[in-house]
Amino acid sequence: MITDEEIARLRALMEWEATRTAPPEGFPKLPDMPAARYTSPEYFELEREHIFRKSWLFAGHLDEIPEPGCYMRWHNAGDPIVIVHGMDGMVRAFYNTCRHRGAPVVTEDRGKSSRLMCGYHNWTYKTDGTLVGVPERQDFPPDFDMSCRGLIPVRCELLGNVIFVNFDEDAMSLKDWFGPLWDEWEEFAFDRIRLAARHSFDLECNWKVAMEANMEVYHVPFIHPETVAPLVDSRRNLNTMYPNGHARMLAPPPEQTDREHVRAIDSPPEWLQIESVGEIGRTCTQSYTLFPNWVSPLSNYFVPPLVFWPTSLTTTRLELVTMALDWGDGPAPDLWTVPDETKPDGRDMSPIILEDTQFGEAIQQSMQSAAFKSVPLSYQEARIYSFHQACDRMIGIGNVPEDLRVEQVIGDEWTWPNDPRVRQMENDAVKAREAAE
């Protein structure tokens, strides 16, 4: 829970942001980013090999595998895996690949069984991955060791009820990956929120093009004049960069807004509130970027991540997820989609999401033009630049061709818990008092 002192500091900083006439003193000039980061097949392969193979990735919710023996297939990051609620109560992930001749161990998106059996030759595994059954065992060599032929695990850890996976055996723990967000997010009851909705949509643009539309408020007055703009004071927006590439956007409602609770999206009053959420979550719009591909506003009503999965250099699968407390006998809340019988699964993206995605395909096509040479970013877009710095660090700066790199100009002095804006705000307040005297 954020302390009263921290709340006061955040509110003061939001007000200070509205008064500045230039970027904060000492904030680095952001060099143009190479345009080819959005169009280069070489850079895209580096992203897939390093970023999506070494980061902790959202995989699902315990509600999708609620009981021991339940399993689900997952393949959003390339290699197909199976996530299993073990008979011992543990949640694990494995490559969905039989150790015999590579056939999938499960072929349904979801199921329930006390054993996982490959349909090709009936090799059978326990839910902890142990190989326990090989037909015609006598035809294998006498020294054939079943104990070393279990399913190959994939790192799998939980934040409350939310499941994350990581293909890197040497990766830091999920808690260390979250860093300070682990404690900051405690108030949002990840151990109690349920999965209310999860839908996917295909976009015709690079995954970063789609994701970055949700990483700055510069566009809000122009793209969301009737939806987000009346609820978010973009002049008072406060960005915070965290370790490991994460970031937060925080903004109060415009001063003329008189509703008791204001968030980026209206919430039906019948939704059960998350009572542990504090003042900032109840009264401001805050959106977190969880590196590499999760963006989510968080409030006292919902945890609704938008998750961006690259499917090719120029295509993206967008997952729209709503998690909330129990909604009783009523319909499950679905923040990001609306009914539409003309769509394949009977849902379409909500107006706000459509506003953010409407230009994606045109932007991608325009980026292929010879006129697209570099990307200049403003202070308001610093979250995007910081994100690209984190991408290169995850890839390994030496692995990125020099003409595709971004300069690492936003340093630790601008990364939580450091914030030079606090000192500048205090100095400005002293000068204002002295001038008044």
Side-chain angles (χ1 to χ4, degrees):
M1 182 69 70
I2 300 178
T3 65
D4 291 342
E5 181 181 1
E6 176 70 1
I7 291 171
R9 186 181 68 84
L10 291 173
R11 290 201 178 280
L13 279 170
M14 285 188 280
E15 292 302 315
W16 177 82
E17 286 281 356
T19 65
R20 63 176 177 78
T21 57
E25 294 176 5
F27 189 79
K29 178 183 177 182
L30 302 179
D32 282 19
M33 296 195 309
R37 293 174 71 87
Y38 300 89
T39 60
S40 163
E42 181 179 9
Y43 192 77
F44 177 72
E45 288 305 317
L46 289 172
E47 291 173 338
R48 292 213 300 186
E49 178 183 354
H50 295 279
I51 296 174
F52 285 88
R53 302 294 296 185
K54 299 177 182 178
S55 302
W56 282 100
L57 306 171
F58 167 75
H61 190 282
L62 197 58
D63 282 353
E64 297 173 280
I65 48 171
E67 300 174 350
C70 291
Y71 61 82
M72 60 182 285
R73 291 195 301 177
W74 188 86
H75 48 78
N76 282 338
D79 288 351
I81 68 176
V82 56
I83 301 170
V84 185
H85 191 152
M87 299 304 293
D88 59 359
M90 296 290 293
V91 175
R92 300 178 176 87
F94 304 98
Y95 286 93
N96 187 19
T97 305
C98 180
R99 297 298 304 280
H100 179 212
R101 285 169 58 187
V105 177
V106 301
T107 56
E108 300 174 327
D109 285 339
R110 286 180 177 80
K112 184 178 182 181
S113 175
S114 61
R115 294 288 189 269
L116 303 177
M117 180 183 294
C118 171
Y120 197 10
H121 297 96
N122 280 24
W123 279 38
T124 304
Y125 303 84
K126 294 171 64 175
T127 56
D128 65 0
T130 304
L131 177 63
V132 292
V134 175
E136 310 296 343
R137 173 68 180 80
Q138 70 277 5
D139 287 337
F140 286 86
D143 60 352
F144 181 79
D145 186 359
M146 291 174 56
S147 68
C148 63
R149 305 281 180 172
L151 296 176
I152 296 178
V154 174
R155 292 280 299 277
C156 180
E157 296 183 23
L158 275 67
L159 170 62
N161 293 328
V162 182
I163 305 167
F164 290 84
V165 297
N166 193 319
F167 290 96
D168 183 2
E169 294 180 1
D170 298 322
M172 66 181 72
S173 70
L174 181 65
K175 184 176 181 180
D176 289 343
W177 177 255
F178 267 75
L181 299 191
W182 190 269
D183 292 330
E184 282 191 24
W185 286 16
E186 184 177 358
E187 65 181 303
F188 298 102
F190 276 79
D191 59 338
R192 292 186 290 129
I193 54 174
R194 294 180 56 198
L195 179 64
R198 183 176 185 179
H199 302 283
S200 296
F201 298 87
D202 293 324
L203 307 177
E204 298 294 325
C205 61
N206 183 272
W207 70 284
K208 299 186 298 299
V209 170
M211 182 168 161
E212 288 167 11
N214 299 274
M215 294 173 65
E216 44 87 2
V217 296
Y218 190 19
H219 74 289
V220 166
F222 316 110
I223 301 299
H224 305 294
E226 303 298 327
T227 52
V228 179
L231 304 176
V232 175
D233 188 341
S234 57
R235 292 177 58 251
R236 288 174 166 78
N237 176 67
L238 176 67
N239 288 323
T240 301
M241 268 68 82
Y242 293 90
N244 301 325
H246 315 316
R248 180 187 64 195
M249 174 217 105
L250 181 62
E255 292 178 351
Q256 69 272 21
T257 303
D258 58 6
R259 288 209 308 277
E260 179 183 359
H261 299 299
V262 177
R263 294 156 300 279
I265 311 294
D266 283 333
S267 299
E270 64 269 17
W271 284 19
L272 189 62
Q273 291 196 49
I274 305 172
E275 70 284 348
S276 55
V277 173
E279 177 185 334
I280 293 294
R282 291 175 180 274
T283 61
C284 296
T285 292
Q286 57 182 342
S287 179
Y288 285 86
T289 304
L290 183 65
F291 190 86
N293 64 333
W294 156 311
V295 179
S296 179
L298 299 177
S299 81
N300 53 318
Y301 282 101
F302 44 65
V303 174
L306 293 79
V307 192
F308 300 84
W309 301 105
T311 51
S312 75
L313 174 62
T314 58
T315 58
T316 299
R317 179 167 298 115
L318 169 59
E319 276 199 289
L320 301 175
V321 182
T322 301
M323 293 180 278
L325 289 186
D326 198 342
W327 45 91
D329 297 329
D334 189 341
L335 189 65
W336 297 130
T337 75
V338 294
D340 187 337
E341 294 181 357
T342 68
K343 300 299 180 180
D345 65 350
R347 308 291 297 185
D348 195 8
M349 293 180 281
S350 69
I352 287 178
I353 302 300
L354 287 172
E355 288 171 353
D356 272 329
T357 59
Q358 62 182 313
F359 295 122
E361 182 175 359
I363 289 172
Q364 190 66 44
Q365 291 174 353
S366 181
M367 283 179 166
Q368 304 297 139
S369 163
F372 183 54
K373 299 182 181 299
S374 63
V375 181
L377 294 176
S378 69
Y379 168 68
Q380 286 194 48
E381 300 164 295
R383 283 172 68 199
I384 295 176
Y385 195 94
S386 177
F387 164 75
H388 279 263
Q389 287 188 175
C391 287
D392 282 7
R393 290 196 301 269
M394 181 62 72
I395 292 170
I397 294 174
N399 294 324
V400 181
E402 189 171 355
D403 62 336
L404 293 174
R405 293 178 197 165
V406 295
E407 296 182 41
Q408 301 285 317
V409 297
I410 302 177
D412 291 342
E413 70 275 14
W414 290 95
T415 302
W416 186 99
N418 302 314
D419 193 339
R421 292 172 299 188
V422 175
R423 178 60 61 86
Q424 185 174 342
M425 177 181 66
E426 294 170 346
N427 290 340
D428 289 348
V430 170
K431 292 177 183 178
R433 285 196 299 270
E434 291 175 348
E437 295 171 355

